[in-house]
């Protein structure tokens, strides 16, 4: 399947003009690469995305990966306290591997997902996560998920939230990511400060054919703005270490050339 992805991605890279252009802009303007290097990086990014999708479905089928957890002592200590934990993550790597994180502390996790993905993908994710002591909260327009978030934190459980995309929210925070200002949604950072919760940035990155590393950075800031900046610093470090694994195929910074 990995070999098939390497073949298929060539066509996706050639004909998905908008995604390729946006990725090339990121590598050139935000990471200082030459035009030729940026083209190569955009291709490698799409390759990694394809392999992440395969690994995602392998996880659905019960395949076990070799996973290393960074700052595992901190994770174990936090997961064995009665206080809630908020994980701020991103579309970086493969969040399906979060199950390994939860099992390290025998806690229940709820993951907030937005309805931008296809229904079948959301159903598959929900089915897999439920087998790994993880439940899905869908952010729908009826706003009932806000009560679920509050209940999760009051019960001292783990909440996972994607914080690197603004899904049309009018309330945002201005942050500097890879040298240029952009907006992140206020909600995840405000939620992370509720109920005296522990907080961390967490990204599950692919390090080999069957190997992943869960990058964990404790977050200590006490205001939404400072927390967003601390989260961005952790995300930037992960992007610089694994530059092909941030799957951003849209004009994230609204670049003008």
């Amino acid at each position: 399947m990995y070999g098939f992805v390497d073949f298929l991605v060539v066509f996706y890279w050639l004909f998905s003009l908008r995604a390729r252009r946006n990725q090339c802009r990121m590598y050139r303007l935000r990471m200082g690469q030459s035009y030729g290097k940026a083209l190569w990086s955009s291709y490698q990014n799409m390759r990694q995305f394809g392999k992440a999708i395969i690994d995602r479905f392998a996880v659905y089928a019960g395949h076990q990966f070799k996973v290393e957890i960074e700052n595992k002592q901190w994770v174990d200590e936090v997961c064995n306290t009665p206080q809630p934990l908020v994980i701020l993550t991103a579309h970086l790597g493969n969040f399906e591997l979060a199950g390994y994180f939860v099992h390290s502390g025998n806690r229940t996790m709820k993951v907030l997902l937005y309805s931008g993905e296809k229904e079948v993908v959301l159903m598959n994710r929900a089915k897999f996560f439920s087998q790994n002591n993880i439940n899905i909260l869908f952010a729908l327009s009826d706003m009932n998920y806000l009560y679920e978030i509050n209940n999760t934190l009051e019960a001292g459980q783990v909440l996972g939230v994607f914080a690197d995309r603004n899904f049309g929210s009018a309330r945002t925070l201005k942050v500097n990511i890879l040298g240029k200002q952009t907006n992140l949604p206020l909600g995840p950072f405000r939620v992370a400060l509720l109920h005296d919760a522990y907080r961390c940035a967490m990204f599950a990155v692919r390090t080999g054919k069957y190997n992943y590393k869960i990058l964990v950075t404790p977050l200590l800031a006490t205001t939404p703005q400072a927390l967003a900046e601390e989260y961005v610093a952790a995300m930037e470090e992960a992007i610089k270490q694994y530059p092909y694994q941030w799957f951003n195929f849209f004009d994230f910074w609204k670049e003008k050339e």
Side-chain angles (χ1 to χ4, degrees):
M1 290 298 293
Y2 290 147
F4 177 71
V5 163
D6 287 340
F7 172 77
L8 186 64
V9 162
V10 172
F11 296 93
Y12 183 79
W13 182 81
L14 287 172
F15 296 107
S16 185
L17 301 179
R18 179 177 297 178
R20 188 179 74 215
R21 181 182 65 236
N22 290 332
Q23 282 298 88
C24 282
R25 281 178 175 172
M26 180 185 78
Y27 287 114
R28 286 195 300 110
L29 302 180
R30 307 275 61 83
M31 302 187 75
Q33 296 183 1
S34 66
Y35 187 78
K37 174 66 173 175
L39 283 172
W40 175 249
S41 294
S42 68
Y43 169 69
Q44 291 294 332
N45 181 268
M46 291 182 187
R47 283 186 69 220
Q48 287 294 331
F49 182 65
K51 291 179 180 181
I53 295 296
I54 291 173
D55 290 349
R56 177 183 294 180
F57 282 96
V59 171
Y60 293 159
H63 181 81
Q64 297 292 307
F65 290 87
K66 183 178 179 180
V67 177
E68 174 189 356
I69 301 179
E70 188 178 69
N71 285 325
K72 191 174 186 303
Q73 182 177 352
W74 182 87
V75 172
D76 291 341
E77 290 175 358
V78 169
C79 285
N80 285 288
T81 69
Q83 290 178 254
L85 169 65
V86 177
I87 296 172
L88 297 174
T89 187
H91 295 79
L92 196 163
N94 200 339
F95 192 70
E96 265 63 15
L97 274 294
Y100 291 92
F101 182 101
V102 176
H103 288 317
S104 71
N106 298 314
R107 298 283 290 274
T108 296
M109 180 192 290
K110 291 190 177 180
V111 179
L112 181 64
L113 292 182
Y114 294 87
S115 55
E117 294 187 89
K118 297 293 185 182
E119 183 177 354
V120 66
V121 174
L122 292 175
M123 290 177 63
N124 280 328
R125 297 184 92 175
K127 180 180 179 181
F128 163 72
F129 279 142
S130 67
Q131 298 169 2
N132 287 270
N133 210 25
I134 303 174
N135 296 314
I136 301 296
L137 296 178
F138 294 106
L140 303 176
S141 58
D142 60 14
M143 307 299 281
N144 286 336
Y145 69 93
L146 296 176
Y147 297 103
E148 289 290 337
I149 288 173
N150 189 64
N151 292 339
T152 297
L153 297 179
E154 280 191 344
Q157 300 301 332
V158 181
L159 177 69
V161 187
F162 286 82
D164 66 329
R165 298 277 174 89
N166 181 19
F167 291 88
S169 173
R171 309 191 72 179
T172 60
L173 296 170
K174 291 186 181 298
V175 292
N176 190 298
I177 300 179
L178 296 177
K180 186 174 175 66
Q181 193 174 78
T182 188
N183 293 323
L184 292 181
L186 170 64
F189 305 102
R190 176 170 287 178
V191 164
L193 296 171
L194 297 175
H195 298 285
D196 196 27
Y198 283 101
R199 302 171 289 279
C200 72
M202 191 273 273
F203 317 106
V205 294
R206 193 171 189 266
T207 57
K209 191 173 182 180
Y210 302 123
N211 301 316
Y212 275 82
K213 184 176 184 179
I214 298 181
L215 307 176
V216 180
T217 303
L219 303 176
L220 304 176
T222 57
T223 67
Q225 182 67 48
L227 185 60
E229 292 170 0
E230 198 176 8
Y231 161 80
V232 165
M235 186 173 70
E236 285 181 324
E237 183 63 28
I239 293 169
K240 291 172 182 176
Q241 289 186 58
Y242 304 91
Y244 304 142
Q245 296 195 47
W246 190 28
F247 305 126
N248 244 339
F249 301 115
F250 65 100
D251 189 6
F252 186 79
W253 290 272
K254 296 180 171 55
E255 302 277 19
K256 301 295 182 183
E257 297 186 273

